[in-house]
Amino acid sequence: MSKQNTTKNYTADSIQSLEGIEHIRLRPSMYIGDVGSRGLHHLVYEVIDNSVDESLAGFCNKIWVNIHKNGFITVLDNGRGIPIDIHKKEGKSALEVVMTKIGAGGKFDKNVYKISGGLHGVGISCVNALSQKLIVTIYRNKKIYQQEYLKGKSVSTVECIGTTDMQGTKIHYLADRSIFHSITYNYEILANRLKELSFLNKGLYLFLEDERENIKEYFFSKNGLKEYLPILDKNQEPLTKDVIFIEGEKDNTIVEVAMQYNTSFKEKIYSYVNNINTHEGGTHLSGFRRALTRTLKKYVDGYGILSNKDKIEFTGDDFREGITAIISVRVMNPQFEGQTKTKLSNHEVGGIVDKIVGEMLSSYLEEHPSDRKKIIDKVILSAKARQAAKKAREFIQKKNPVNNSILPGKLADCSFNNPENCEIYLVEGDSAGGTAKQGRDRNFQAILPLRGKILNVEKAMPHKIFENEEIKNIFTSLGVSIITEEDQEILNVKKLRYNKIIIMTDADIDGSHISTLILTLFFRYMKPLIEKGHIYIATPPLYLIRKGNHSQYAWSDQERENILNQLGGRKYVNIQRYKGLGEMNAEQLWETTMNPKNRTLRKVKIENYSEAEKIFSILMGDEVPPRRNFIEKNAIHAKIDV
């Protein structure tokens, strides 16, 4: 470990304590989201974020993460080491205050950390509270200090256990099995987060070791976002040769932007605040959009490209179509709002991003006339396509139901009127749709049959999407529409007619493809329905196994084998493989797939927005080799959950 510059005083007095941690163990989901896989991995992120904060402050350039065979996680950095001297107010070691008090940390002292990520002081104490056992080791002042905790409470004082030339902090912990459903870590999830952090923090080495599989990997980026953007956009054809990179600082807010236009019709903007993915956006994203619109509009208006007869009213969407951008800002006191606390609300940040991006983008466009022309041509094409799409969309909205009289003819609606109690099945094919209509409980279950494979919205022009009959029927049946607010198009869900929207397709390759096409539509054009937990996937059985009067369903090959073993083998056993929903009669479909007492629904969630974005681009985009590679790599654990 290398020594770091310690000129900035980081001592016990820098640590401020706000409140205790007893509440965390009682209500863990309030702090980490859930006690499933997401919450488990969130704990690791929190420990890593503390080390990254040391890097942001300029005192750490290496972080080691180790997944042990026994369920322990170790995170080690070469930062300054948490202070161990006595905290004046608390009368105990500053280390113990940090480990046991919510909101206790140097991050609240602006002289120590100008910028930090994590849960803003909740982080490490939260990890400690939810750990069965945690050992913290500090390498500081040429000495090694250590303290042990059980379920968030110290079981020893801070002890000096030796001398060292190392410097840094090591957290070694075992998540509490009585709180988490499982403490099995997914290597890919952690590797993806470290990879993301390496691009967001150029010059930082992140090492990951998995002792269970004997895997070692490290992540490092010399050029940060400039390297990251081509990776996120690798399945698209760039419109311009180079990535446009913008960086600047104002009032202690640091702004970095990498952007490039491609030939697609999608706007993909990834935004971060202090390394946190702000997938709900916020003021930094609004500032970027304002600067982009204002700067490009100046060229569209000023260069006389359009004659009077071609006069087009431009909107912000026209300037963003086909753009992929990463916005990373570092803010001293970030404030968040929104459902998942990932929407930045600091008003001043929007103005700073707007100013920096506006000035530097103008300079770039002046110096690169060829790129400028390609971008402006793309904007004009987008505006013309948008006007065509608007006409198609207005047609949908005119048809959108105020009452049931103008619902699509194919829709078999339910009789209940309260959306909270209603659900709709999007069913593959008229045949299966007919069976579902017979088998359903018509009080609360609606059926919308879809003819064949719906349009692939990943590759289609926007106006073609809204002209498509099946897609129009989905919008109209659900009661949702696309409206424009603050210069951007959003989904209006105020008149959503069903609480559960269930995709029900055959349990074969074609069925999986149709499911993915429908999910792509929801992800690209109705994402709030996924975020609010309305989208589900039905799981019809694969087999019906009969022996005499006895019959059982199996949802997997393994389950089939278990049933056969229970029945004493295959003798006198009839195994029916369901290739499609149409092979079941109405009663069987109800009993296995639609009856709330027996059915299994898989709720669609987005664990990682940038990964989901990438997967949809690979699976549904134009490039065949990346899709083939993805399928070959992931076929063994293929699931439709996103």
Side-chain angles (χ1 to χ4, degrees):
M1 250 189 249
S2 61
K3 294 182 185 178
Q4 303 289 323
N5 182 347
T6 55
T7 52
K8 296 234 173 149
N9 291 329
Y10 182 30
T11 65
D13 297 335
S14 305
I15 306 297
Q16 297 176 26
S17 168
L18 300 183
E19 59 176 273
I21 60 167
E22 294 79 10
H23 195 250
I24 299 175
R25 288 185 62 80
L26 195 62
R27 299 277 184 272
S29 295
M30 284 181 62
Y31 296 87
I32 58 168
D34 64 32
V35 289
S37 174
R38 179 185 284 191
L40 180 74
H41 291 84
H42 194 102
L43 289 192
V44 189
Y45 301 163
E46 284 303 324
V47 185
I48 295 168
D49 282 345
N50 273 5
S51 296
V52 173
D53 290 341
E54 277 288 277
S55 169
L56 289 175
F59 298 102
C60 159
N61 67 351
K62 291 187 177 73
I63 300 169
W64 293 263
V65 180
N66 202 323
I67 309 166
H68 299 283
K69 289 179 181 176
N70 58 3
F72 272 85
I73 291 282
T74 301
V75 179
L76 168 67
D77 67 49
N78 65 342
R80 292 167 290 180
I82 300 171
I84 43 77
D85 39 330
I86 298 300
H87 190 282
K88 288 175 185 173
K89 181 184 170 188
E90 297 290 332
K92 61 176 81 168
S93 163
L95 173 63
E96 190 168 341
V97 175
V98 168
M99 299 303 296
T100 58
K101 301 282 185 182
I102 288 188
K107 299 174 189 183
F108 293 96
D109 185 338
K110 289 175 191 160
N111 295 318
V112 176
Y113 286 105
K114 284 194 170 179
I115 291 159
S116 66
L119 284 171
H120 315 300
V122 175
I124 198 67
S125 58
C126 185
V127 176
N128 194 15
L130 301 178
S131 293
Q132 203 167 306
K133 182 177 182 178
L134 185 148
I135 299 168
V136 56
T137 309
I138 305 298
Y139 306 92
R140 186 178 167 100
N141 304 331
K142 300 277 187 184
K143 293 178 181 172
I144 305 170
Y145 302 92
Q146 199 168 80
Q147 189 173 26
E148 188 174 326
Y149 299 86
L150 295 177
K151 298 184 177 179
K153 294 183 178 175
S154 61
V155 292
S156 65
T157 57
V158 178
E159 298 171 357
C160 180
I161 60 169
T163 59
T164 184
D165 285 331
M166 290 166 55
Q167 195 171 287
T169 300
K170 180 165 78 174
I171 304 290
H172 180 69
Y173 75 94
L174 179 67
D176 195 333
R177 295 175 199 273
S178 68
I179 287 175
F180 291 95
H181 300 325
S182 160
I183 60 164
T184 302
Y185 294 92
N186 182 312
Y187 180 85
E188 288 296 320
I189 289 176
L190 293 178
N192 284 333
R193 176 57 177 161
L194 293 187
K195 184 178 180 183
E196 184 178 57
L197 284 170
S198 72
F199 289 119
L200 292 165
N201 301 272
K202 57 189 174 194
L204 175 63
Y205 288 89
L206 295 128
F207 302 88
L208 179 60
E209 181 174 358
D210 187 347
E211 291 180 358
R212 302 167 305 178
E213 303 291 335
N214 196 24
I215 304 171
K216 289 184 180 180
E217 203 172 353
Y218 84 93
F219 306 93
F220 173 82
S221 172
K222 185 181 177 184
N223 296 310
L225 301 189
K226 285 171 80 171
E227 281 179 57
Y228 196 19
L229 191 130
I231 291 171
L232 291 175
D233 219 24
K234 69 180 177 183
N235 301 308
Q236 301 294 349
E237 182 187 338
L239 193 67
T240 56
K241 184 185 172 188
D242 297 320
V243 173
I244 302 171
F245 182 68
I246 293 166
E247 62 181 334
E249 182 175 357
K250 188 175 186 291
D251 299 336
N252 287 319
T253 294
I254 300 164
V255 178
E256 279 187 88
V257 175
M259 57 180 276
Q260 189 170 30
Y261 281 88
N262 57 58
T263 56
S264 82
F265 314 113
K266 304 291 178 296
E267 169 196 347
K268 293 194 291 186
I269 302 180
Y270 307 85
S271 63
Y272 297 86
V273 175
N274 300 357
N275 295 319
I276 299 165
N277 186 338
T278 46
H279 64 81
E280 290 181 279
T283 53
H284 56 325
L285 181 56
S286 300
F288 171 76
R289 283 174 162 159
R290 280 198 308 272
L292 190 71
T293 300
R294 187 183 66 254
T295 306
L296 292 177
K297 194 170 189 306
K298 179 179 70 178
Y299 289 103
V300 171
D301 293 344
Y303 278 66
I305 295 169
L306 299 172
S307 64
N308 287 332
K309 67 181 177 67
D310 292 328
K311 194 68 178 169
I312 298 173
E313 288 295 324
F314 291 90
T315 72
D317 285 318
D318 302 327
F319 297 102
R320 298 190 297 270
E321 191 173 287
I323 195 172
T324 300
I326 311 166
I327 305 159
S328 176
V329 297
R330 308 210 190 278
V331 183
M332 275 182 64
N333 294 303
Q335 303 296 318
F336 295 99
E337 59 174 280
Q339 189 181 1
T340 53
K341 302 296 179 195
T342 55
K343 184 175 184 180
L344 184 70
S345 59
N346 297 59
H347 179 71
E348 73 284 357
V349 176
I352 292 168
V353 174
D354 186 338
K355 187 173 190 302
I356 290 170
V357 172
E359 288 174 359
M360 294 195 71
L361 183 58
S362 287
S363 298
Y364 179 88
L365 294 172
E366 287 293 337
E367 293 164 13
H368 299 80
S370 173
D371 283 0
R372 184 176 71 223
K373 184 178 186 312
K374 287 176 185 171
I375 292 169
I376 297 303
D377 286 347
K378 170 83 173 170
V379 169
I380 293 165
L381 184 66
S382 300
K384 289 178 177 176
R386 177 186 50 79
Q387 287 183 338
K390 186 180 179 188
K391 286 176 186 171
R393 212 164 46 241
E394 282 169 352
F395 177 71
I396 292 176
Q397 282 157 22
K398 278 177 192 165
K399 283 183 70 179
N400 242 345
V402 179
N403 54 57
N404 288 354
S405 62
I406 49 174
L407 287 166
K410 280 189 165 189
L411 174 69
D413 205 6
C414 53
S415 55
F416 288 173
N417 289 323
N418 183 354
E420 229 6 76
N421 304 322
C422 298
E423 56 189 44
I424 183 170
Y425 280 82
L426 307 180
V427 185
E428 170 191 349
D430 288 333
S431 170
T435 309
K437 286 176 186 178
Q438 292 171 36
R440 68 180 173 139
D441 182 329
R442 61 185 62 239
N443 287 316
F444 69 96
Q445 291 178 322
I447 308 294
L448 179 66
L450 300 173
R451 188 181 65 246
K453 293 178 180 176
I454 72 162
L455 186 70
N456 181 357
V457 301
E458 192 71 16
K459 296 197 280 191
M461 292 278 284
H463 67 283
K464 293 290 184 190
I465 292 165
F466 295 105
E467 287 170 357
N468 180 271
E469 195 62 35
E470 302 301 310
I471 290 174
K472 283 194 288 190
N473 285 344
I474 292 172
F475 269 90
T476 309
S477 299
L478 298 183
V480 298
S481 58
I482 293 175
I483 58 173
T484 302
E485 273 188 14
E486 296 179 5
D487 204 26
Q488 61 179 306
E489 292 182 342
I490 63 165
L491 188 74
N492 180 5
V493 296
K494 289 177 183 172
K495 294 181 182 177
L496 180 66
R497 304 180 64 248
Y498 309 97
N499 185 41
K500 284 190 174 74
I501 300 158
I502 303 162
I503 301 166
M504 186 161 72
T505 61
D506 292 345
D508 61 9
I509 295 296
D510 274 349
S512 293
H513 188 207
I514 291 167
S515 278
T516 310
L517 285 166
I518 298 170
L519 281 175
T520 308
L521 171 67
F522 283 125
F523 184 75
R524 292 299 183 204
Y525 290 93
M526 302 187 229
K527 200 180 288 175
L529 296 181
I530 302 177
E531 292 170 337
K532 294 177 189 296
H534 293 297
I535 309 297
Y536 296 81
I537 295 173
T539 51
L542 288 176
Y543 301 99
L544 172 61
I545 301 163
R546 288 194 186 95
K547 185 174 184 179
N549 293 326
H550 176 84
S551 64
Q552 266 182 278
Y553 295 97
W555 275 260
S556 67
D557 291 345
Q558 183 60 56
E559 201 172 343
R560 178 196 64 191
E561 293 307 310
N562 292 345
I563 293 168
L564 290 173
N565 289 337
Q566 290 165 15
L567 295 174
R570 295 173 181 261
K571 200 171 182 183
Y572 308 118
V573 174
N574 176 267
I575 303 171
Q576 182 182 353
R577 169 71 162 93
Y578 289 125
K579 292 177 183 171
L581 298 170
E583 293 185 18
M584 280 185 265
N585 62 37
E587 187 182 340
Q588 290 171 331
L589 188 59
W590 162 256
E591 196 56 38
T592 61
T593 316
M594 299 179 73
N595 183 350
K597 290 180 182 175
N598 301 332
R599 73 186 180 189
T600 300
L601 294 181
R602 288 183 288 164
K603 183 183 276 194
V604 178
K605 295 193 293 186
I606 306 170
E607 294 283 352
N608 181 315
Y609 278 75
S610 56
E611 271 302 297
E613 181 81 49
K614 197 161 56 179
I615 288 167
F616 277 111
S617 292
I618 290 170
L619 286 178
M620 310 311 290
D622 284 314
E623 296 292 316
V624 174
R627 176 160 57 248
R628 186 168 54 241
N629 294 341
F630 179 87
I631 291 168
E632 285 171 357
K633 183 181 175 186
N634 293 281
I636 193 167
H637 30 241
K639 291 189 288 188
I640 307 171
D641 294 322
V642 177

